[in-house]
Amino acid sequence: MQLFVFIVEFLERVKQRVLDVKTMNMSMSCLLLQLLDEILVYVVGIPHDKLSQQQALDLNFELERFYALANLLELKIGFHDFNNFYNERALIDLYDKCLGEILCLDRFDRVRKDEVNTLINELGDQAERGVPKGLTPDERRMIHLAMVKDFYPGNEQGHWFKCGSCPEIYCITECGGAMQMASCPSCKATIGGEHHRYVAGTRLASEMDGATRPAWPVTLH
């Protein structure tokens, strides 16, 4: 019974993590399913109704490996597979390094988990700083100047923002405070805000106008 309860709880945690993951392509789904299959093969090999403390620990380590893979794939999805970024090659190389660390045969203990999480955080930071190709600095400046007429006089900076889930850039005119919410055209996450407050995760797109703070004096969070 102890083993049965453990397996049920274990699979419930896996199921919840899978449900949390947004739409994936076929190759990403196969990666998760392959890792899950390996975990289940290990579970089936455990003698009936016997679960040692070490086996329970090993299974929890493998669950952490599964979580890390899901986190990495979600990050890649959020940044559109890093396609069309100026630092695309560096991002893909770091992604491949993360993936290799997760899927290697070594035990996914606490040390390896911390190392992988550090790599994933580094990948996220580099992707955040990366600028999608398509607009040169001059083009961004021209777009900004074309929009200035819709900003309140004397308040020409801090109207450009990034979606909290992807690099999509959008503009809030007039005072610069968010008064309505919308769906990001790239990832469908909520952007904008209400009552002059921005939705959580909103980032300033300072590459558009050199702004260091939003036009409307509210802290981004």
Side-chain angles (χ1 to χ4, degrees):
M1 182 59 70
Q2 177 192 11
L3 177 59
F4 177 76
V5 171
F6 180 88
I7 291 175
V8 169
E9 292 177 348
F10 182 90
L11 293 179
E12 278 297 316
R13 291 162 69 188
V14 170
K15 174 186 173 184
Q16 187 56 53
R17 188 64 189 88
V18 171
L19 291 175
D20 288 341
V21 177
K22 297 176 183 177
T23 304
M24 289 187 175
N25 61 33
M26 182 62 71
S27 63
M28 289 180 174
S29 299
C30 286
L31 273 176
L32 279 178
L33 290 174
Q34 180 181 351
L35 183 53
L36 181 57
D37 280 345
E38 292 173 1
I39 294 174
L40 293 178
V41 167
Y42 179 85
V43 170
V44 171
I46 297 175
H48 179 65
D49 209 27
K50 290 184 179 179
L51 182 70
S52 70
Q53 184 176 359
Q54 184 59 52
Q55 287 171 323
L57 185 62
D58 287 342
L59 276 171
N60 278 308
F61 281 149
E62 289 309 306
L63 184 59
E64 293 294 344
R65 189 195 302 270
F66 184 85
Y67 285 169
L69 179 58
N71 291 340
L72 179 63
L73 296 179
E74 272 190 318
L75 181 64
K76 190 179 184 187
I77 292 169
F79 286 97
H80 307 288
D81 294 347
F82 314 118
N83 288 333
N84 217 30
F85 274 64
Y86 281 110
N87 57 340
E88 179 179 343
R89 185 67 263 164
L91 292 173
I92 291 175
D93 287 346
L94 187 52
Y95 168 82
D96 288 341
K97 182 178 180 180
C98 290
L99 187 62
E101 289 293 324
I102 292 171
L103 297 181
C104 75
L105 297 178
D106 294 345
R107 194 166 181 240
F108 202 82
D109 56 16
R110 189 168 288 104
V111 173
R112 178 165 292 277
K113 172 188 170 183
D114 290 343
E115 290 174 349
V116 166
N117 285 339
T118 297
L119 286 173
I120 291 176
N121 289 335
E122 181 183 347
L123 177 62
D125 290 342
Q126 288 194 24
E128 288 276 0
R129 294 194 298 269
V131 178
K133 294 178 183 176
L135 291 177
T136 66
D138 283 343
E139 288 170 335
R140 289 196 290 272
R141 182 178 58 82
M142 291 172 63
I143 292 172
H144 172 68
L145 291 176
M147 293 297 297
V148 165
K149 62 181 176 57
D150 295 319
F151 304 158
Y152 283 177
N155 198 17
E156 288 85 14
Q157 287 185 310
H159 293 262
W160 298 94
F161 301 91
K162 287 181 183 177
C163 171
S165 300
C166 77
E168 187 73 29
I169 293 175
Y170 62 96
C171 180
I172 298 179
T173 58
E174 298 181 345
C175 67
M179 293 299 290
Q180 65 181 49
M181 293 188 287
S183 295
C184 173
S186 294
C187 70
K188 308 307 178 186
T190 301
I191 58 175
E194 293 180 318
H195 309 298
H196 292 95
R197 294 188 176 276
Y198 311 101
V199 296
T202 300
R203 298 165 292 155
L204 194 65
S206 55
E207 63 266 36
M208 293 297 295
D209 60 359
T212 57
R213 60 175 180 79
W216 185 263
V218 173
T219 302
L220 297 177
H221 60 281

